[in-house]
Structures are given as structure tokens and as C-alpha cells.
């Protein structure tokens, strides 16, 4: 089956992409939502150069859907329509267990004429994280809820040590409630790894993010 991957550049959508390919399905494109006011991907903050690098590293064409909060739904549906025109029969999502998110995505798929797929649905949140690591994925922490987690985690890779810090903070180590977000930079679905360099730490009220960019040699 040919499918479009709703892709955030983060760990859950990457694991979902991995599982779909392992089942023999073929991705025809990545659908990425871009916040048009800052020209970065929603939630995970990948800039334009980084998104081009993801497209090349994964070897999958990328559909960029520029949107504001008011146009997010229509822009996403337009992206799915483009995916269908490219041959996609379904759209895949990395959701785990938040029903309202799944219902919204199913409605968007219905509008675009695509079947929705959720390969991580009802999996253990904790087991998803350990599976990613066991498969060899490298996930750098891009942003955190600074009320719950220390800023020292920003820019670090998810590993046993960072997971221990999360467990000590008594949060969901999968970050499904927005405790943190990641950028995946290497793993089995990558043809080549992404080399990122850490910039400034930025504060946004209760949240903080690190400005990760491609290393200059990779531009």
C-alpha cells in the first residue's frame, strides 16, 4: 500500500514510518505542517534548511503545508489531497492513545479520500521509547516543559541517562503530553544521518527550546 506520512521530524512519527515500511508499505511523501509566521515545522521547530535535509536523508518527497492556527485544518487537508494525487491510498500518523487527536486526523483523511493508519495506537508509551532506542534511532531533545524538566536536557540525545532524569521528574517518558519534543537525526529509515549543532536556549514562558541547526558543512 502506498501511503503519506504525517511527519513532524520527531520520534513518534519516525517510529510509525519505520513500522509501516517494515510491514511492506511504501511511503510516497511526507506531509509536514509549517508555521508560516516563523517558517519552522509546528511543534518540533525544524527550519527550512533542516526540512530539506530531512527530505534528502529519508529519500522521500516532502509536502510542506504552510499554515497559521486559523488555516491549519484547511492547509493539512490540502497537503493530504496533494499526497493522494501522488498516489497515496492512506495517511499514517504517530498517535498513541489520545482519542481526540485521532478523531481529528480521521476526519481530515475522510475529507481527502484517504484511509487513516495508526501503527502505534494503544502501544505502551514507555515501550515505544525503548523500541526506538533498541532499533538504533538517535533522538535529540529540542524542547521541554521547563516546569517539569531541567534545561540541561536540551540538545541531549534520549538514552538511559536522560530517561532516568525524566523518570525522576515523574513524567511520561514518551512525552505524549507535551513534556518534551525531539528531532530524530539517524536510524534505520535514514539513508544518511543529520548533523546538528546546538545554538541558543530560548525561553517561552513555561517552555524552553534549543535552537538546533544543521552544521555548516552539511548546508
Amino acid at each position: 500500500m502506498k501511503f503519506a506520512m504525517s511527519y513532524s521530524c520527531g520520534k513518534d512519527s519516525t517510529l510509525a514510518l519505520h513500522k509501516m515500511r517494515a510491514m511492506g508499505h511504501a511511503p510516497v511523501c511526507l506531509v509536514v505542517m509549517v508555521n508560516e509566521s516563523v517558517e519552522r515545522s509546528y511543534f518540533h521547530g525544524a527550519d527550512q534548511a533542516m526540512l530539506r535535509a530531512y527530505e534528502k536523508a529519508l529519500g522521500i518527497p516532502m509536502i510542506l503545508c504552510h499554515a497559521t492556527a486559523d488555516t491549519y485544518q484547511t492547509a493539512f487537508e490540502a497537503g493530504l489531497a496533494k499526497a493522494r494525487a501522488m498516489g497515496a491510498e492512506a495517511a499514517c500518523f504517530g498517535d498513541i492513545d489520545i482519542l481526540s487527536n485521532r478523531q481529528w486526523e480521521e476526519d481530515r483523511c475522510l475529507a481527502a479520500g484517504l484511509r487513516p493508519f495508526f501503527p502505534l495506537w494503544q502501544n505502551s508509551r514507555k515501550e515505544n521509547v525503548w523500541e526506538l532506542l533498541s532499533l538504533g534511532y538517535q533522538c535529540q531533545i529540542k524542547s521541554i516543559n521547563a516546569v517539569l524538566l531541567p534545561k540541561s536536557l536540551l540538545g541531549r540525545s534520549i538514552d538511559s541517562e536522560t530517561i532516568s532524569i525524566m523518570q525522576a521528574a515523574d513524567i511520561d517518558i514518551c512525552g505524549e503530553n507535551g513534556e518534551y519534543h525531539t528531532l530524530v537525526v539517524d536510524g534505520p529509515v535514514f539513508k544518511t544521518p543529520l548533523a546538528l549543532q546546538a545554538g541558543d536556549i530560548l525561553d517561552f514562558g513555561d517552555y524552553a527550546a534549543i535552537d538546533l541547526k544543521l552544521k555548516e558543512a552539511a548546508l
Side-chain angles (χ1 to χ4, degrees):
M1 179 182 65
K2 295 180 179 179
F3 70 97
M5 184 72 229
S6 178
Y7 196 64
S8 68
C9 308
K11 59 181 179 51
D12 297 330
S13 61
T14 299
L15 182 58
L17 174 62
H18 178 103
K19 287 182 175 291
M20 290 293 282
R21 296 189 75 162
M23 288 186 284
H25 302 302
V28 298
C29 62
L30 306 167
V31 179
V32 179
M33 298 302 296
V34 176
N35 186 331
E36 66 179 33
S37 65
V38 294
E39 287 299 308
R40 289 176 178 261
S41 65
Y42 268 94
F43 311 115
H44 296 249
D47 63 22
Q48 295 294 303
M50 201 180 299
L51 291 173
R52 290 192 296 271
Y54 269 100
E55 182 178 43
K56 183 178 179 180
L58 293 168
I60 306 171
M62 185 176 285
I63 296 172
L64 298 181
C65 306
H66 293 79
T68 64
D70 292 335
T71 63
Y72 193 98
Q73 177 173 314
T74 54
F76 188 65
E77 287 182 4
L80 292 181
K82 290 179 181 178
R84 186 181 180 192
M86 293 172 66
E89 306 160 76
C92 176
F93 303 90
D95 296 87
I96 301 171
D97 55 20
I98 299 178
L99 186 57
S100 59
N101 290 354
R102 174 172 177 149
Q103 289 175 333
W104 186 89
E105 289 153 351
E106 288 177 339
D107 289 345
R108 306 290 75 74
C109 286
L110 180 64
L114 295 174
R115 296 170 60 191
F117 267 76
F118 300 86
L120 307 185
W121 191 251
Q122 295 299 321
N123 287 5
S124 162
R125 294 183 180 188
K126 183 184 297 185
E127 289 177 7
N128 279 344
V129 176
W130 289 113
E131 182 177 7
L132 268 167
L133 298 184
S134 69
L135 289 167
Y137 284 99
Q138 296 180 26
C139 313
Q140 286 187 254
I141 298 171
K142 165 68 178 180
S143 63
I144 59 163
N145 181 328
V147 176
L148 302 174
L149 293 170
K151 293 180 183 178
S152 58
L153 287 177
L154 290 168
R156 293 182 60 178
S157 295
I158 296 179
D159 55 19
S160 58
E161 184 178 348
T162 52
I163 288 173
S164 293
I165 294 171
M166 293 177 189
Q167 290 173 326
D170 197 27
I171 70 155
D172 168 24
I173 66 167
C174 195
E176 190 71 357
N177 301 306
E179 295 92 337
Y180 71 96
H181 290 296
T182 60
L183 291 172
V184 182
V185 297
D186 198 12
V189 297
F190 284 75
K191 296 179 180 295
T192 56
L194 271 69
L196 303 183
Q197 60 187 8
D200 295 333
I201 291 178
L202 309 171
D203 291 304
F204 303 97
D206 290 344
Y207 293 86
I210 189 165
D211 189 17
L212 294 174
K213 293 183 177 292
L214 286 177
K215 288 186 177 179
E216 292 185 6
L219 293 175

